[in-house]
């Protein structure tokens, strides 16, 4: 099986032109088949503010009303995606920018309304691994923004972490996949006050222990649960850390396996 | 040789949700291989106005400064392109939205500064016919927005009519191409006051006559020159008319051949 890397970058990189440029140089140099997944970070909120649209958040999640969906479509699929693609092209990486609607690559459904109506937020149903594989075979590097569609004409805002893991899971049918979650920190920390106290390996058993000891808490729990969700469904391993981990494979970052 | 239709829709269709929906239903039903090309019409100007960015026009052409390029990237490649793709998917047309940067499909250079500095406006150098052909063979329908790139990381605003003709010319190496320019009128008119006085055929010889007789004047001249540019470079024929011509091949519209 050929290897395939799926890399998700955080909003902090998208927002910062210098950081983004550094990351894209790194990404372009990365050997082998690869897929990039991104959101739009604060860029969408900034545009919404300029347009006088209030960003509504509930429990850390954006409520995507019709106006907000337009902003997200402009920022994620337009501004962020096409600038990333143009820059990767300059580094001789043959990138192709995509939303989940393009080529029907990521099908989703509007999240059902319960106590909260998330608006046009999409939960992924299916990733079209065959068409993504065709792009990879044509020497193209897919760059997905965090949008999907319902197949009935509706675009949907979808969490970029979820898109990355669903793509990695689907592509595991054809490739040996590694999923990289890039964020500000060097990895999962043993001691929250020590930025270098990175736990290098977490598996199912050690995760239970880390949870019981209260070392992994709060927002880190859903993040790691999402990683286990991926490795339990065929992804070889998930790496969490700063994007510089892509350059130095023996550097500090956390690897999650079964 | 297989047949390929390249259809360029006007800004008046993009701006009007109802018109766009009617057109996309028609386009989805169109038999055979096809490519859609679109700009953003007044949507970009509307967003620029909301953001307090003044649209600068010289001789009917937009001056694309850095701020305007951002607006165009958001509207053309984001809002317009992805909504078209999502709607086509609903009609079971497997659309894939693209800018010229994606897959390095349309390479251009920034228009040189003479008396006028057009800013980030691109003139097309090359269309990557091999990669577009691969998409068509994968049963995908490319939907191009009016943007190109210079290969060095710079996105460029490029006239949609030009993009359509350059794609049609390039694809003529592999396919028997027909280029459709859709606009508000039913075709080139014999009598400007009679909307139904459509000239059904124009060739090189009759064009000279129409010019000498003063029947074709003003803005219609560069439009038709652009059509001849295409047929002289391998495009089988160019059809000009209202988009309803796609449904009724024996209706009123103008066909331009050598």
């Amino acid at each position: 099986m050929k290897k395939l890397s799926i890399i998700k970058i955080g909003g902090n990189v998208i927002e910062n032109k210098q950081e983004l440029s550094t990351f894209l140089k790194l990404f372009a140099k990365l050997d082998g088949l690869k897929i990039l997944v991104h959101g739009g970070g604060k860029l969408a909120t900034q545009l919404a503010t300029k347009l006088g649209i209030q960003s509504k958040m509930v429990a850390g999640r954006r409520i995507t009303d019709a106006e907000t969906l337009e902003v997200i479509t402009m920022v994620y699929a337009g501004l962020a995606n096409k600038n990333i693609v143009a820059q990767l092209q300059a580094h001789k990486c043959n990138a192709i920018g995509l939303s989940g609607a393009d080529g029907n690559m990521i099908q989703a459904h509007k999240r059902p309304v319960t106590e909260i109506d998330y608006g046009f937020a999409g939960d992924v149903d299916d990733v079209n691994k065959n068409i993504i594989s065709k792009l990879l075979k044509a020497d193209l590097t897919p760059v997905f923004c965090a949008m999907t569609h319902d197949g009935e004409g509706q675009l949907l805002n979808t969490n970029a972490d979820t898109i990355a893991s669903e793509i990695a899971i689907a592509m595991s049918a054809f490739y040996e996949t590694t999923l990289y979650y890039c964020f500000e920190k060097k990895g999962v920390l043993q001691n929250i006050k020590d930025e270098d106290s990175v736990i290098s390996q977490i598996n199912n058993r050690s995760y239970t222990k880390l949870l019981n000891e209260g070392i992994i808490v709060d927002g880190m729990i859903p993040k790691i649960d999402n990683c286990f969700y991926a490795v339990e469904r065929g992804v070889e391993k998930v790496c969490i850390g700063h994007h510089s981990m892509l350059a130095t494979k023996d550097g500090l970052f956390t690897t999650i396996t079964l």
Side-chain angles (χ1 to χ4, degrees), chain A:
Chain A
M1 260 188 172
K2 276 197 178 180
K3 291 182 182 201
L4 170 66
S5 305
I6 295 96
I7 292 114
K8 189 257 166 178
I9 37 168
N12 61 316
V13 179
I14 297 283
E15 287 153 31
N16 182 325
K17 279 190 185 179
Q18 192 56 51
E19 274 282 291
L20 181 61
S21 165
T22 306
F23 165 75
L24 292 174
K25 263 179 228 162
L26 252 177
F27 178 83
K29 276 189 196 152
L30 202 66
D31 276 339
L33 300 172
K34 56 204 172 187
I35 293 173
L36 181 59
V37 180
H38 69 86
K42 295 198 190 89
L43 296 179
T45 315
Q46 286 164 4
L47 179 63
T49 305
K50 278 191 201 168
L51 292 171
I53 300 165
Q54 262 195 319
S55 290
K56 298 167 206 79
M57 310 285 285
V58 172
R61 287 188 182 242
R62 192 190 300 278
I63 302 295
T64 314
D65 58 15
E67 277 184 318
T68 305
L69 184 72
E70 285 203 351
V71 167
I72 282 170
T73 309
M74 293 195 282
V75 171
Y76 291 14
L79 195 61
N81 192 265
K82 296 314 163 196
N83 275 304
I84 288 172
V85 167
Q87 283 190 58
L88 287 175
Q89 288 290 343
H91 299 307
K92 305 297 168 209
C93 169
N94 202 1
I96 182 167
L98 301 159
S99 75
D102 297 296
N104 195 24
M105 286 185 225
I106 312 174
Q107 295 143 49
H109 61 270
K110 186 176 175 301
R111 186 171 304 153
V113 177
T114 50
E115 287 129 65
I116 303 170
D117 180 359
Y118 288 101
F120 298 105
D123 292 323
V124 176
D125 291 320
D126 196 32
V127 173
N128 191 332
K129 56 186 180 291
N130 292 304
I131 188 75
I132 296 174
S133 186
K134 277 188 190 174
L135 297 183
L136 292 169
K137 279 178 188 156
D139 291 322
L140 292 165
T141 296
V143 176
F144 282 96
C145 69
M147 296 200 76
T148 59
H149 78 138
D150 71 354
E152 288 166 20
Q154 183 64 57
L155 292 165
L156 295 164
N157 179 19
T158 298
N159 182 272
D161 282 14
T162 308
I163 287 187
S165 62
E166 293 292 350
I167 290 175
I169 292 164
M171 299 314 288
S172 296
F174 301 143
Y175 302 93
E176 188 188 309
T177 54
T178 303
L179 173 57
Y180 294 91
Y181 281 121
C182 304
F183 73 149
E184 314 82 38
K185 297 190 183 296
K186 291 180 183 165
V188 182
L189 303 181
Q190 179 80 36
N191 174 1
I192 196 95
K193 288 173 191 158
D194 178 1
E195 289 289 339
D196 288 327
S197 67
V198 174
I199 305 168
S200 64
Q201 293 272 349
I202 301 178
N203 60 23
N204 244 322
R205 211 166 47 158
S206 67
Y207 184 40
T208 311
K209 201 160 163 274
L210 288 162
L211 284 173
N212 288 339
E213 289 168 353
I215 289 169
I216 295 176
V217 289
D218 302 333
M220 211 58 209
I221 297 173
K223 249 189 167 41
I224 297 181
D225 284 347
N226 190 33
C227 298
F228 276 109
Y229 176 87
V231 292
E232 279 160 8
R233 282 160 187 79
V235 175
E236 184 74 12
K237 60 181 176 187
V238 184
C239 302
I240 307 185
H242 187 265
H243 59 72
S244 57
M245 70 178 156
L246 298 173
T248 55
K249 292 295 174 80
D250 51 356
L252 281 175
F253 58 91
T254 304
T255 303
I256 292 169
T257 54
L258 274 186

